[in-house]
Structures are given as C-alpha cells and as structure tokens.
Amino acid sequence: MDRNGLIENLQNHNISFNDEKIDKLVLLMKNTLIANQKFNLTAIKDEEQFLEKMILDSALAIIGLDLDGKEAIDVGTGAGFPGMVIKILNPKVNMTLLDSTNKKIEQFNKSGIYTVNQLINYLPKKYLDFRRTKNVCDIQENELIINAEFECQN
C-alpha cells in the first residue's frame, strides 16, 4: 500500500484525516524505519507494508471512538504503535506511551506525548478513558476498555 492506498483505506473506514495528518503519518513511518536500523524496533522494513501493517492497522483501532480530551495509554507500545498514530489522528487525546524498554520510547520524548519507561505492574493504578495493548500480562490483544481501572499482576 502506498500513500494513496492509505488515504483510500482511511476514507473507506470513515477515519477523519487531512493532508497534514497524512504527512505526519508518513514522516512517522520514515523516522521509525530510520530508527529501526539502529534499534530493531519492528520486523517490517518495507514502506508499503509499514503503511498497511503499522499505520493503517493502528488507525483502525479508533473506529467509532471519540477520544477528544480523553486520557489514553498504549501499553507495550514498542515502536510507538498504535499510540503515535492515534495521537496524530486525534491530536486532542492525552496519549501516554508505556514500554519497559527505554530505547523504544526515548525517541518520543520530544514529540509532546507522555512516555513511561516501566512495567505495567509498577505503574500506579490510574483511571483511563481508553487503553490499547498488545498482549501484555493478562490483557487480551485489541482489548479496549472505556473508563476502566486496570492493574496487572504476574
């Protein structure tokens, strides 16, 4: 998938965007692929696959959700997905990226997104409006929880 394919898919799924947001998503892809050469952030190295598997898949996580002004956390964010995509498409969401590996999230420290470098077990209980995760602790993949308290125990 190329840039035009991304635009077409976002339109088909009624995901709001503009040219500036598309430019930011493409820049996010390019910067992640550059950082990936040093830190091995993702197995995907091809731009077309990246747009489909990382950018579009992350965008699909927000279909039908109103996140304006809400608190959101991406647990186990890794290279920043889906959290960065969600923030770009919803600039009014208060996004937190959580990962236990500092090298993965330190690149986002100057992006205006709050980053936390620790395991979820040590994160204080916090009420959040939206949580997105990728198989961390006992949380199921793609589980969305609205206005829920979470705690993970190992």
Side-chain angles (χ1 to χ4, degrees):
M1 174 180 9
D2 60 10
R3 179 189 177 102
N4 291 332
L6 175 64
I7 291 169
E8 182 180 330
N9 275 283
L10 293 174
Q11 288 172 335
N12 289 342
H13 289 94
N14 296 315
I15 297 172
S16 178
F17 68 92
N18 56 33
D19 287 339
E20 180 184 3
K21 290 178 182 180
I22 295 296
D23 290 343
K24 286 181 179 181
L25 292 172
V26 171
L27 182 61
L28 173 64
M29 173 195 65
K30 291 181 182 291
N31 287 340
T32 303
L33 290 174
I34 290 168
N36 194 48
Q37 295 172 2
K38 183 176 180 182
F39 296 117
N40 190 28
L41 301 172
T42 176
I44 299 172
K45 294 173 178 46
D46 174 74
E47 287 190 8
E48 289 188 6
Q49 282 187 340
F50 196 98
L51 285 172
E52 179 181 352
K53 305 271 186 210
M54 302 296 283
I55 304 291
L56 180 61
D57 285 357
S58 295
L60 295 177
I62 60 169
I63 292 176
L65 296 176
D66 176 15
L67 298 175
D68 285 0
K70 303 271 175 61
E71 295 289 329
I73 189 166
D74 178 2
V75 179
T77 190
F81 297 89
M84 290 296 293
V85 173
I86 292 170
K87 178 66 175 176
I88 289 168
L89 293 173
N90 295 276
K92 293 182 182 176
V93 66
N94 298 312
M95 178 60 67
T96 298
L97 303 179
L98 173 74
D99 201 279
S100 63
T101 307
N102 192 48
K103 74 176 183 178
K104 293 180 181 177
I105 61 171
E106 65 185 4
Q107 64 183 324
F108 304 116
N109 288 340
K110 295 179 182 173
S111 68
I113 292 186
Y114 182 62
T115 60
V116 178
N117 173 227
Q118 62 182 234
L119 296 171
I120 191 171
N121 340 23
Y122 302 108
L123 193 67
K125 290 182 180 181
K126 182 176 180 179
Y127 289 92
L128 297 166
D129 299 304
F130 174 78
R131 175 186 68 201
R132 172 66 170 86
T133 184
K134 299 171 287 227
N135 287 335
V136 178
C137 302
D138 61 349
I139 303 167
Q140 299 301 309
E141 183 177 5
N142 297 324
E143 180 181 17
L144 303 181
I145 296 185
I146 307 300
N147 292 324
E149 181 178 354
F150 67 89
E151 180 178 19
C152 190
Q153 301 191 16
N154 289 332

